[in-house]
Amino acid sequence: KCKPRQYQFINVVECRCGVATKLEPMQQSSNYSAGNSNDQDQIRMIQNSNEEQLYTTIEDAHRSQHQYDEWNPDVIAYLRAVIPMSPFVSYLCYKMQLMALPYLGLQMLSIPLALKLRDQSGWIRWPSAFIIVALLGGIKTSSIELYFENVNVAIKGMFYAFTALWECSNAVYIFGGRDLMDRFGINNYQRALFAALCPAQIKFTAQGFSRDRWVRRLLHIGGYLSTFVVLRLVLRYVAETIEMYAVLEAEAIVICVSCLVHVWNVPPLLYQMFMIGYRVQVIYPYGSIYYFWSKWSRPASSLIRHMFYYPLGGRGRAFLSIPLMFLLNASSHYGVSEALVGDKSELGWNIVFGALGLVAAIEVYCDSIFERIDTGDGTRLTNKWWARIRFVLATASLRFAAYTLLHKCLNSSLHSLLGLQ
């Protein structure tokens, strides 16, 4: 799995993580300039080095590159992780009552279970993960129907979305197995339990998270939320006029939701604030406005891909994987509208995900025809006219889906989204 990389006088054989594991002297080039002292020193160093100095084992290379693997959370780190989650967990326990115990227990069990099953086949991991997801969703939906009867719909929606992101962030590791867990640096139970405490996915890194990066993220999230507040003040005077035209309302919904979803970035932001200086990076659920409408949310899209898309064949069997993925995704949202507004809205969800699935299938099929691989650097090249058509399809389908979701699935409107009624 290693590939040689040729420099002027040295072959460097590298492993997948980019660590040099073997150095091989090359023959001196015929056009070598004797006046270049750096090149002469380089060749002399290679020729005078013995074999033990010249060759480095893969184990030593990995040890030097991944020293952060030795870091594990201590008691102080666990306490700092619990503090930002305390308000939400307290509210969860208050509202869910006894149902909170099995719910929190399953959340804490998810990633340690993923670590236990990471080397098992998909036939073992997939049913185990599906049971965890079904139990978490069932407990949450039942508690909302029982104990949130007189709670405002907006509060219920925020609670449902936050818990869903937490569930997706934890359960996806069971589906993903070793490859996914290694990517995020989760290699022992201490880290697994530590990651389960975060309301989003976290990645163990080689360096501590800096305060400057956290401040930039704070400004990013604050900017989007401030934009929503301004939009709400402006649109309240023209909301009735906008609702007369479906195209304008759909555009307003897309812009407002793209800003509003950053509310669910606030708990991970608080978590990251307490982790400043630690070798932990929080993967925020939502990015820019373009990311949200192209990939929805990071935890949810990752879970759906590992749960349905990859097992069904992925891009290689797009004719099967994409329609079934969107159909199953639609059915999984019936409980959302039932818990929030008391109606499953099967037709509305099927229309929403059916439209998105149709456009996704067209994109994948046409990409296989109109895209080509650049033999030079391996990048994908797309015809400009097809790129424009794809942009139009994505833009139109997403606005149609947003309009249908708000009106047909949640029995709401732009007025309700802005909190004007």
Side-chain angles (χ1 to χ4, degrees), residues 157 192 288 420:
S288 66
L420 302 179

Side-chain angles (χ1 to χ4, degrees), residues 356-373:
L356 296 176
L358 177 62
V359 173
I362 293 174
E363 286 186 1
V364 171
Y365 177 74
C366 292
D367 283 347
S368 63
I369 298 176
F370 301 119
E371 280 190 347
R372 62 184 180 85
I373 305 298

Side-chain angles (χ1 to χ4, degrees), residues 147 235 369:
Y147 305 121
L235 293 177
I369 298 176

Side-chain angles (χ1 to χ4, degrees), residues 386-420:
W386 165 239
R388 296 189 183 99
I389 294 177
R390 187 171 59 184
F391 175 78
V392 172
L393 284 174
T395 302
S397 63
L398 289 170
R399 279 143 183 80
F400 172 78
Y403 182 88
T404 305
L405 187 152
L406 195 63
H407 284 270
K408 301 299 182 182
C409 301
L410 301 179
N411 298 329
S412 187
S413 63
L414 182 63
H415 262 78
S416 300
L417 180 62
L418 297 175
L420 302 179

Side-chain angles (χ1 to χ4, degrees), residues 4-14 23 26 42:
R5 176 181 294 178
Q6 293 187 356
Y7 294 97
Q8 187 174 6
F9 298 106
I10 307 175
N11 269 344
V12 180
V13 182
E14 296 182 334
L23 300 177
M26 293 175 60
Q42 189 179 23

Side-chain angles (χ1 to χ4, degrees), residues 90-133:
S90 300
Y91 180 78
L92 185 147
C93 294
Y94 170 72
K95 297 300 296 185
M96 296 180 66
Q97 300 182 17
L98 292 178
M99 287 188 175
L101 295 177
Y103 182 83
L104 293 175
L106 287 172
Q107 288 280 33
M108 295 296 101
L109 176 66
S110 298
I111 303 184
L113 178 62
L115 188 65
K116 180 70 174 179
L117 302 178
R118 60 180 176 175
D119 293 321
Q120 300 294 329
S121 67
W123 294 102
I124 296 177
R125 288 187 286 104
W126 198 96
S128 303
F130 187 82
I131 291 173
I132 293 291
V133 172

Side-chain angles (χ1 to χ4, degrees), residues 35-78:
N36 192 329
S37 60
N38 292 332
D39 292 340
Q40 287 179 341
D41 293 339
Q42 189 179 23
I43 295 177
R44 191 179 301 112
M45 177 192 67
I46 294 174
Q47 293 174 343
N48 294 336
S49 298
N50 57 35
E51 186 175 351
E52 293 182 357
Q53 293 173 326
L54 188 61
Y55 295 93
T56 305
T57 63
I58 293 179
E59 290 77 7
D60 291 341
H62 275 271
R63 191 180 301 112
S64 62
Q65 177 72 10
H66 304 299
Q67 291 179 353
Y68 65 92
D69 284 347
E70 300 174 359
W71 179 83
N72 291 309
D74 53 12
V75 176
I76 302 300
Y78 278 109

Side-chain angles (χ1 to χ4, degrees), residues 71 77 80 205-214 271-281:
W71 179 83
R80 292 171 69 99
T205 59
Q207 297 178 348
F209 196 86
S210 66
R211 188 181 302 274
D212 292 340
R213 292 180 63 188
W214 183 85
Y271 185 95
Q272 185 71 82
M273 181 180 68
F274 284 87
M275 293 295 112
I276 292 177
Y278 285 87
R279 299 174 181 179
V280 173
Q281 178 184 351

